């Protein structure tokens, strides 16, 4: 069965899209831990990130870099952190978590509430800064 991320990639489930190319997609995490929390996903359906073929792992990280720099420009966090977990959705992905203060925990633990309007606005201003 297709993963939830494959359904997003196919357009069967909506997302707040940040960027996309032939091999990768980035969209806002639906349960964010910070404003701009983004998932970077290779379109190829592989469960474990470190099972990706080297070229795809590399290109996924380079795609993540472009998205992280766009998050930095648009949202002006101190920097953007990276979390790798992958135990909830069995489709390799990288979490990009903008860090706004020293006291912010960069983990997937504590979710925050963000309105649909703000999610739409974040997707719009961040995607405008992505340079593919
Ligand atoms: P992990 O597998 O790395 O533990 O976490 C998967 C992440 O995917 C979670 O942070 C969760 O909020 C996110 N997620 C799960 N389902 C959806 C979905 O349908 N849309 C989006 N945008 N994110 C999702």
């Amino acid at each position: 069965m297709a993963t939830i991320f494959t359904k997003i990639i196919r357009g069967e489930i909506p997302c707040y899209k940040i960027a996309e190319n032939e091999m990768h997609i980035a969209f806002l995490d639906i349960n964010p831990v910070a404003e701009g929390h983004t998932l970077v996903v290779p379109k190829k359906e592989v469960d474990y990130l470190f099972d990706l073929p080297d070229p795809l792992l590399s290109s996924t990280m380079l795609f993540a870099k472009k998205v992280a720099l766009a998050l930095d420009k648009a949202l002006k966090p101190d920097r953007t952190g990276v979390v790798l977990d992958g135990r909830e959705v069995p489709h390799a992905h990288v979490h990009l978590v903008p860090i706004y203060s020293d006291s912010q925990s960069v983990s997937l633990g504590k979710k925050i509430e963000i309105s649909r309007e703000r999610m739409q606005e974040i997707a719009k201003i961040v995607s405008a800064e992505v340079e593919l």
Side-chain angles (χ1 to χ4, degrees), residues 1-10 12 22-25 41-53 56 60 89-93:
M1 205 177 88
T3 66
I4 194 101
F5 292 168
T6 292
K7 290 180 181 167
I8 289 173
I9 291 160
R10 289 179 185 159
E12 295 166 9
E22 199 188 330
M23 310 274 278
H24 320 88
I25 189 168
V41 183
K43 292 183 178 178
K44 185 179 167 74
E45 204 180 276
V46 171
D47 177 356
Y48 185 38
L49 187 80
F50 296 121
D51 280 336
L52 291 176
L56 186 55
T60 300
V89 177
H91 186 145
H93 54 278

Side-chain angles (χ1 to χ4, degrees), residues 4-5 8 13-16 27-32 37 39 84-90 93 95 108 111:
I4 194 101
F5 292 168
I8 289 173
I13 291 178
C15 71
Y16 299 99
F27 48 84
L28 295 179
D29 194 304
I30 204 71
N31 298 304
H37 178 180
L39 301 172
L84 303 174
D85 188 332
R87 288 173 296 173
E88 181 186 327
V89 177
H93 54 278
H95 293 258
L108 301 179
K111 314 293 182 191

Side-chain angles (χ1 to χ4, degrees), residues 105-122:
S105 160
V106 184
S107 72
L108 301 179
K110 185 149 179 351
K111 314 293 182 191
I112 62 168
E113 287 290 326
I114 303 180
S115 69
R116 176 201 287 248
E117 291 71 27
R118 180 63 181 153
M119 290 286 270
Q120 281 168 343
E121 186 184 14
I122 292 168

Side-chain angles (χ1 to χ4, degrees), residues 35-94:
E35 280 211 345
H37 178 180
T38 297
L39 301 172
V40 178
V41 183
K43 292 183 178 178
K44 185 179 167 74
E45 204 180 276
V46 171
D47 177 356
Y48 185 38
L49 187 80
F50 296 121
D51 280 336
L52 291 176
D54 286 357
L56 186 55
L57 176 60
S58 305
S59 65
T60 300
M61 293 312 291
L62 292 174
F63 192 81
K65 174 182 175 178
K66 291 174 193 286
V67 174
L69 293 176
L71 287 165
D72 291 345
K73 262 192 183 171
L75 302 177
K76 309 213 173 352
D78 294 342
R79 60 174 57 208
T80 289
V82 174
V83 179
L84 303 174
D85 188 332
R87 288 173 296 173
E88 181 186 327
V89 177
H91 186 145
H93 54 278
V94 175

